[in-house]
Amino acid sequence: LHRVDRRQRQMCIRDRHLNVARVEFRADAMNEKSIHAMKSIGCIAEGILRSNCMGVKKRRDSIVFSILKNEWKDAVKPNLVQQIKKVQ
């Protein structure tokens, strides 16, 4: 929940202060908690970057997610507002 709250706050801050067309997130492709958190706030999976960075002991794959400007305004932001209201 903490990780989701942090991402929600980050997205709301970006909305207020930046005029961006796309926001990208990446996570270890094996990190199910991060993947679930990103999906829960409305991020769209774009694909896997194979062996793109070093993990603890070996190279690892990363999954790439994004939110586009129109997705943010139409669906993601209203969903985040609802999630925040449920937590408060």
Side-chain angles (χ1 to χ4, degrees):
L1 183 61
H2 172 71
R3 193 174 293 214
V4 173
D5 288 343
R6 188 179 74 228
R7 288 209 170 106
Q8 290 171 343
R9 287 192 301 271
Q10 289 173 343
M11 292 302 296
C12 289
I13 289 168
R14 286 184 182 115
D15 181 48
R16 286 187 207 135
H17 300 289
L18 300 175
N19 186 21
V20 296
R22 179 179 186 281
V23 177
E24 180 179 296
F25 300 92
R26 294 182 185 192
D28 184 323
M30 301 302 289
N31 188 334
E32 292 181 19
K33 287 183 180 181
S34 288
I35 293 168
H36 176 74
M38 286 186 270
K39 286 180 178 179
S40 75
I41 64 170
C43 294
I44 304 297
E46 293 187 336
I48 301 288
L49 299 175
R50 300 181 317 145
S51 190
N52 76 309
C53 62
M54 195 64 190
V56 176
K57 294 184 179 182
K58 61 180 183 169
R59 295 197 61 81
R60 67 174 180 83
D61 298 345
S62 293
I63 186 166
V64 178
F65 287 88
S66 71
I67 298 173
L68 303 179
K69 188 174 189 172
N70 66 312
E71 296 166 344
W72 170 253
K73 289 180 179 179
D74 297 341
V76 176
K77 184 177 180 180
N79 179 43
L80 282 176
V81 169
Q82 288 298 97
Q83 287 186 35
I84 291 169
K85 286 180 181 178
K86 288 179 186 176
V87 173
Q88 296 174 341

